[in-house]
Amino acid sequence: MSSELSDSALPPPTGTGESTTGPSRRTVIATGVAVGGVVVAGGTFLAGAEEAPTEGAAPSSRVSLTVNGTRRTVTVDNRTSLLDLLREHLDLTGSKKGCNAGACGACTVLVDGRRVNSCLTLAVRLEGAEVTTIEGLADGDELHPLQQAFIEQDAFQCGYCTPGQILSGVGCIQEGHTGSLEEIREFMSGNICRCGCYVKIVRAVEQTAAGRK
């Protein structure tokens, strides 16, 4: 079917001074309506507001990993981060979503004993891994020594960054980066505390490291 309009289909001139050479504004508008919402802009045809639906579902995979000593097998979208796996699939909400860009450290967990930003870690790459979150540090009702030290040193205020700070501190101690206050500060620098409890956080890590010697 032709999308062009005959001269008789156009409204008569109004005498307002519109040019009779080339398409008028009414012609462009009428033509756009006739072709079902496709408009001409700068000589290029632009599609209407509706876009074709995405075909097929996003690819997914099954992944098995050990979380806090328990083997878990889940099917997730291949784009799912470890943080979202923990929070949305396993209901382990202790790990916090702060910046979601690996800059604040609120999501820090241990993977095979090493601290990682879980918001930047793809879950599907952790087949067979061992993950430890803040929920897995305590031994029943007995707190991990660093958790106890945070309480004794009053090393938190709002508490939002605390799970990541504690997991990062555990990693820092296991890595042996506690030779001095300066070294602790350096190797804990990836964890931001917006309340400014850095001095007490460092003291808590120092206290825990000293208890291990």
Side-chain angles (χ1 to χ4, degrees):
M1 176 185 296
S2 172
S3 61
E4 296 182 359
L5 298 180
S6 64
D7 293 339
S8 61
L10 299 175
T14 60
T16 57
E18 293 182 351
S19 173
T20 58
T21 62
S24 68
R25 183 168 60 88
R26 290 191 181 89
T27 303
V28 173
I29 294 174
T31 304
V33 173
V35 297
V38 175
V39 297
V40 178
T44 304
F45 283 97
L46 302 178
E50 296 184 359
E51 297 181 357
T54 303
E55 295 183 0
S60 60
S61 300
R62 287 171 62 86
V63 59
S64 295
L65 64 167
T66 301
V67 181
N68 297 330
T70 302
R71 191 70 171 177
R72 309 296 293 266
T73 300
V74 292
T75 300
V76 294
D77 184 316
N78 288 350
R79 300 165 294 182
T80 301
S81 68
L82 173 58
L83 177 60
D84 286 339
L85 170 66
L86 295 171
R87 292 180 58 83
E88 299 177 12
H89 294 265
L90 303 182
D91 199 29
L92 296 172
T93 56
S95 303
K96 303 305 182 185
K97 181 175 286 191
C99 65
N100 207 33
C104 72
C107 67
T108 303
V109 299
L110 301 180
V111 175
D112 295 331
R114 299 179 60 186
R115 46 187 169 160
V116 302
N117 291 321
S118 60
C119 72
L120 297 183
T121 305
L122 286 176
V124 294
R125 300 188 63 182
L126 298 180
E127 179 67 31
E130 293 190 8
V131 178
T132 303
T133 72
I134 192 68
E135 292 90 344
L137 279 185
D139 183 7
D141 293 333
E142 183 179 352
L143 294 177
H144 185 280
L146 186 54
Q147 290 176 306
Q148 185 63 42
F150 261 65
I151 295 173
E152 294 173 2
Q153 294 290 343
D154 194 21
F156 53 88
Q157 288 188 33
C158 78
Y160 194 84
C161 75
T162 303
Q165 295 280 1
I166 291 176
L167 266 297
S168 186
V170 171
C172 184
I173 294 169
Q174 292 177 350
E175 295 160 12
H177 296 305
T178 56
S180 65
L181 295 180
E182 291 73 17
E183 186 177 17
I184 294 173
R185 282 194 289 268
E186 173 67 24
F187 284 89
M188 290 288 292
S189 61
N191 291 76
I192 295 174
C193 175
R194 291 174 173 83
C195 300
C197 294
Y198 296 111
V199 172
K200 296 179 179 180
I201 290 171
V202 171
R203 287 176 181 168
V205 175
E206 179 190 37
Q207 173 182 319
T208 306
R212 288 170 53 93
K213 296 179 181 179

